[in-house]
DNA sequence: ATTTATCATTAAAATAAATCAAGATGGAAA
DNA sequence: TTTCCATCTTGATTTATTTTAATGATAAAT
């Protein structure tokens, strides 16, 4: 019963009855992923919606110069996936790679759609999830267009302290949109003050 | 029947029956908004979800130095609102201001919730809307962390050509996260090449 | 155990972008 | 018409950030 963390997660939004719990167990399949393994690569269609039970992932784009740009990290109790590709079934521009050995739960698109059609409660839960994600993304954009890199780094430390000890500064720099070298000078400046 | 554009909009996602069309007419109220008028101000709770029938709005934050940072524009057939504040009922940090004389349709929170509970179809439509919004926001973040201001401006012109002739460069600069002066030098450089 | 890759840091030079100050333009308003 | 205000532009200066290159430290691979 690895689906327990996911059921607990859903129940933070709306309580589930026994039937709904058992459909979650049927729809979401457990997978074990090793560090450095990919669950999505550029050019592939994103066929799964992924919930992280244990471990850590990054989702990133590779630009024309071969540089990686981290769009998102996901640790325990986070969702990750290229929703755009998942819905449109167009090839993704993104990679999703495990930063640690991980355990995930995945739903295939057709199963998740069935869930939405047959169990309206999940429709409601996923609407709220998407809206919450929108709010975080909007806040991140506001930060990006209004703050310096130093302010963005401080705010990242404040908002995601769990990640600070778990992810290398190279990865954090890529998420913030600065070079690792510049992040290093920012850290030096902060340490001094 | 100003709700017609909204009904047409919903039907691009899922067809509505007569009952559903009439509930849309009941829930969404028309308002006329003059240029420079606010429909949300910092400190207020965002009590409405807004659909733009005609006109143009900007949603922005004012930083500690008094500078405005545009998070979003909305023209015909776009939604605008501070979803975070709408859901949490916490005071908003954002302003929403009309850039032109406008006509909007607004639903109060309790009415919209009733819609979601009693007419599951709208739950589904709004889930898809939120997911689409997530995709655009993710793409914008990727752009912000991976591109120069010039690339961001060119991409804005390509993606939102309707806005190019309709919105001042000051507003576009604020949306891109650069100063109007620097946007001017970008434009000069592009014109030369 | 040794080699190899990744990571974090530093510094100098180069570029991107913000700030400051000023002038030109054109439409709105009196 | 004249005044006024917002917009756009320009150039000089300063600050933020990237690039390049080099180094020591650590972790991964052989």
């Amino acid at each position: 019963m690895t689906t327990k963390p996911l059921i607990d997660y859903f129940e933070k939004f709306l309580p589930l009855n026994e039937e709904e719990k058992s459909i979650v167990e049927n729809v979401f399949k457990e997978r074990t992923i090793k560090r450095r393994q990919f669950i999505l690569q550029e050019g592939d269609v994103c066929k799964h919606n992924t919930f992280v039970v244990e471990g850590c992932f990054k989702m990133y784009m590779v630009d024309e110069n071969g540089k990686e740009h981290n769009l998102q990290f996901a640790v325990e109790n986070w969702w990750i996936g290229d929703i755009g590709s998942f819905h449109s079934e167009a090839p993704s521009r993104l990679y999703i790679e495990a930063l640690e050995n991980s355990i995930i739960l995945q739903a295939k698109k057709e199963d998740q759609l069935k869930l939405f059609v047959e169990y309206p409660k999940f429709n409601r839960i996923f609407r709220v999830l998407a809206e919450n994600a929108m709010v975080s993304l909007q806040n991140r954009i506001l930060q990006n267009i209004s703050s310096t890199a130093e302010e963005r780094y401080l705010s990242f430390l404040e908002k995601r302290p769990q990640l600070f000890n778990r992810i290398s500064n190279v990865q954090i720099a890529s998420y913030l949109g600065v070079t690792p070298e510049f992040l290093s000078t920012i850290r030096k400046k902060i340490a001094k003050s």
Side-chain angles (χ1 to χ4, degrees), chain A residues 150-176:
Chain A
E150 181 179 345
E151 290 166 328
R152 272 162 16 230
Y153 177 64
L154 286 170
S155 147
F156 176 82
L157 289 189
E158 196 188 332
K159 278 187 198 149
R160 316 271 312 254
Q162 344 91 32
L163 293 182
F164 168 66
N165 301 311
R166 204 164 165 180
I167 293 182
S168 75
N169 287 324
V170 175
Q171 299 305 326
I172 293 174
S174 165
Y175 177 88
L176 296 174

Side-chain angles (χ1 to χ4, degrees), chain A residues 34-35 55 72 78 82 99 103-104 106 119 123 125 158:
Chain A
K34 290 219 182 100
R35 183 175 145 85
Q72 196 202 320
W78 282 69
D82 180 348
L99 292 171
I103 299 169
I104 60 179
Q106 288 189 316
Y119 300 85
N123 234 312
I125 292 174
E158 196 188 332

Side-chain angles (χ1 to χ4, degrees), chain A residues 17-185:
Chain A
N17 61 37
E18 288 312 310
E19 192 190 351
E20 288 158 344
K21 287 182 192 177
S22 94
I23 193 78
V24 169
E25 283 183 36
N26 289 336
V27 164
F28 286 89
K29 310 290 181 197
E30 181 182 346
R31 278 179 74 194
T32 302
I33 309 288
K34 290 219 182 100
R35 183 175 145 85
R36 283 169 208 265
Q37 192 179 336
F38 290 87
I39 58 174
L40 178 69
Q41 282 184 274
E42 181 170 16
D44 293 347
V45 171
C46 181
K47 296 199 176 293
H48 297 91
N49 194 16
T50 299
F51 179 82
V52 180
V53 174
E54 206 183 298
C56 181
F57 291 83
K58 63 173 173 178
M59 176 161 75
Y60 60 93
M61 181 198 79
V62 177
D63 70 20
E64 61 278 14
N65 305 314
K67 286 190 186 154
E68 297 182 7
H69 301 276
N70 287 340
L71 180 54
Q72 196 202 320
F73 299 117
V75 292
E76 289 76 18
N77 292 316
W78 282 69
W79 294 93
I80 198 158
D82 180 348
I83 320 166
S85 166
F86 184 77
H87 277 100
S88 67
E89 301 187 24
S92 178
R93 299 156 52 211
L94 302 174
Y95 296 81
I96 302 177
E97 182 184 342
L99 292 171
E100 305 171 1
N101 294 333
S102 304
I103 299 169
I104 60 179
L105 291 167
Q106 288 189 316
K108 276 193 293 187
K109 183 171 179 176
E110 54 266 34
D111 291 342
Q112 187 167 314
L113 280 181
K114 212 173 62 186
L115 201 69
F116 288 151
V117 173
E118 292 174 15
Y119 300 85
K121 193 181 282 177
F122 291 99
N123 234 312
R124 241 178 109 188
I125 292 174
F126 277 84
R127 173 180 58 77
V128 173
L129 285 177
E131 287 169 343
N132 290 347
M134 270 184 75
V135 173
S136 323
L137 290 168
Q138 283 186 340
N139 286 333
R140 190 161 159 215
I141 289 177
L142 273 180
Q143 274 256 96
N144 279 336
I145 65 176
S146 69
S147 317
T148 64
E150 181 179 345
E151 290 166 328
R152 272 162 16 230
Y153 177 64
L154 286 170
S155 147
F156 176 82
L157 289 189
E158 196 188 332
K159 278 187 198 149
R160 316 271 312 254
Q162 344 91 32
L163 293 182
F164 168 66
N165 301 311
R166 204 164 165 180
I167 293 182
S168 75
N169 287 324
V170 175
Q171 299 305 326
I172 293 174
S174 165
Y175 177 88
L176 296 174
V178 297
T179 59
E181 292 89 345
F182 188 54
L183 179 55
S184 192
T185 77

